Amino acid sequence: VTAGRFNRIQVWDLKTGKLVHETEEQDLPIPALDISPDGKLIAAALSDWKRPRDPARVQLWTFPRLKPVGRLYRHRYELKTVRFNSDGKQLVIGGTDLLAVVDVKKRLTVKSLRTDTGIMGAAFVDHDRMIVSGDWNGRMRLWNAASGQLIKTGAEHNKYIIDVQIDRTADRIVSCGRDGTAKVWSLADRGDSLATRVLNWPDVRAVSSITSISTRLLVQQQSQRILFGTASKDFKYFAAGGSAGN
């Protein structure tokens, strides 16, 4: 599944490389999307910082046929990330000035938190009891998902965080920073710093999920800017997309 500044969501056949389903062209770019755990829904953020007068929103489509389900969330400013919880009943949404939790079925905002900086990546962790977020200032934060209370702030990246990925089976978190580092975090560490391992590259652009068995970290590095990357569950395939449009 791909999306981006061409304003469409597209579903591709992995073996043939052929496009099999595609949405109609939307009025805004699609900087983030996620597939529900049961594989039946896609949630996507439609947002463009160059068009501040056009409100950003989160919409739902069926997967894989991409039939519109409806609008889930609307916001005045830019949205950067959407992520389902483990049972697909809630979404965490991050943007320029907020972190929000939304009930998917009722289409109601359960919790809305104003932040002092833009949220670049967010995900539910610890059996959906907490939310981890990475922001424009390079900070990793843990939040109580029910109350919205900030639990702690982790060690910072020197530049903004590009993406956050999680391994639910082991409560590990990987943050990918524009400073050229990827940090592996563990919720088992309850000290001042959650960082357990720092991986350095000349320029880290994208990060995939990690396995609980070998703690492998896949990072794609090319001359073109790689914006996002993801691995299949069996780790036989890795997909990356970037500024070159491929």
Side-chain angles (χ1 to χ4, degrees):
V1 182
T2 59
R5 297 203 66 84
F6 51 88
N7 297 24
R8 297 176 187 267
I9 298 174
Q10 297 174 321
V11 177
W12 305 80
D13 186 289
L14 186 61
K15 293 182 178 180
T16 65
K18 293 183 178 180
L19 179 66
V20 291
H21 298 291
E22 184 178 37
T23 63
E24 294 182 354
E25 185 175 356
Q26 306 298 306
D27 60 328
L28 290 170
I30 304 168
L33 61 77
D34 194 25
I35 302 174
S36 62
D38 62 6
K40 295 181 179 181
L41 286 176
I42 285 181
L46 284 76
S47 178
D48 191 350
W49 65 272
K50 295 180 179 180
R51 295 161 59 182
R53 294 186 179 181
D54 295 331
R57 62 188 185 275
V58 174
Q59 291 190 189
L60 297 175
W61 283 267
T62 62
F63 181 78
R65 297 191 176 275
L66 299 179
K67 294 181 179 179
V69 175
R71 181 182 298 169
L72 183 65
Y73 186 80
R74 184 180 175 95
H75 188 59
R76 181 178 178 182
Y77 300 112
E78 186 181 13
L79 297 177
K80 284 289 189 179
T81 182
V82 293
R83 197 75 60 87
F84 282 98
N85 69 348
S86 60
D87 61 13
K89 294 181 179 179
Q90 292 186 337
L91 269 177
V92 61
I93 301 169
T96 300
D97 64 336
L98 92 160
L99 190 67
V101 178
V102 177
D103 186 294
V104 175
K105 185 176 181 180
K106 296 179 180 179
R107 303 187 189 181
L108 294 175
T109 302
V110 177
K111 186 66 61 176
S112 184
L113 308 173
R114 294 292 173 180
T115 64
D116 57 355
T117 186
I119 300 295
M120 305 296 288
F124 288 94
V125 293
D126 192 27
H127 305 287
D128 299 333
R129 290 191 290 262
M130 293 190 290
I131 295 170
V132 61
S133 68
D135 62 36
W136 183 259
N137 288 339
R139 294 173 299 192
M140 291 288 289
R141 288 178 168 181
L142 278 176
W143 309 80
N144 184 298
S147 68
Q149 180 181 359
L150 178 64
I151 299 173
K152 65 175 60 178
T153 300
E156 299 181 2
H157 285 266
N158 292 328
K159 294 184 180 180
Y160 65 85
I161 291 173
I162 298 172
D163 195 14
V164 174
Q165 293 285 348
I166 63 169
D167 170 18
R168 295 186 187 277
T169 60
D171 280 334
R172 291 194 190 94
I173 304 159
V174 178
S175 60
C176 175
R178 188 61 180 85
D179 57 358
T181 66
K183 295 186 178 183
V184 183
W185 313 71
S186 174
L187 292 179
D189 298 337
R190 301 294 181 178
D192 294 335
S193 174
L194 294 178
T196 59
R197 189 175 171 197
V198 179
L199 307 171
N200 293 278
W201 282 273
D203 194 8
V204 176
R205 298 291 192 178
V207 62
S208 83
S209 58
I210 56 177
T211 65
S212 60
I213 299 176
S214 62
T215 325
R216 282 185 295 174
L217 175 68
L218 296 183
V219 175
Q220 180 76 7
Q221 185 178 344
Q222 295 181 0
S223 58
Q224 295 291 335
R225 186 181 181 192
I226 303 298
L227 301 175
F228 295 100
T230 188
S232 60
K233 291 182 178 180
D234 59 8
F235 270 77
K236 290 182 178 180
Y237 296 97
F238 180 82
S243 58
N246 54 27

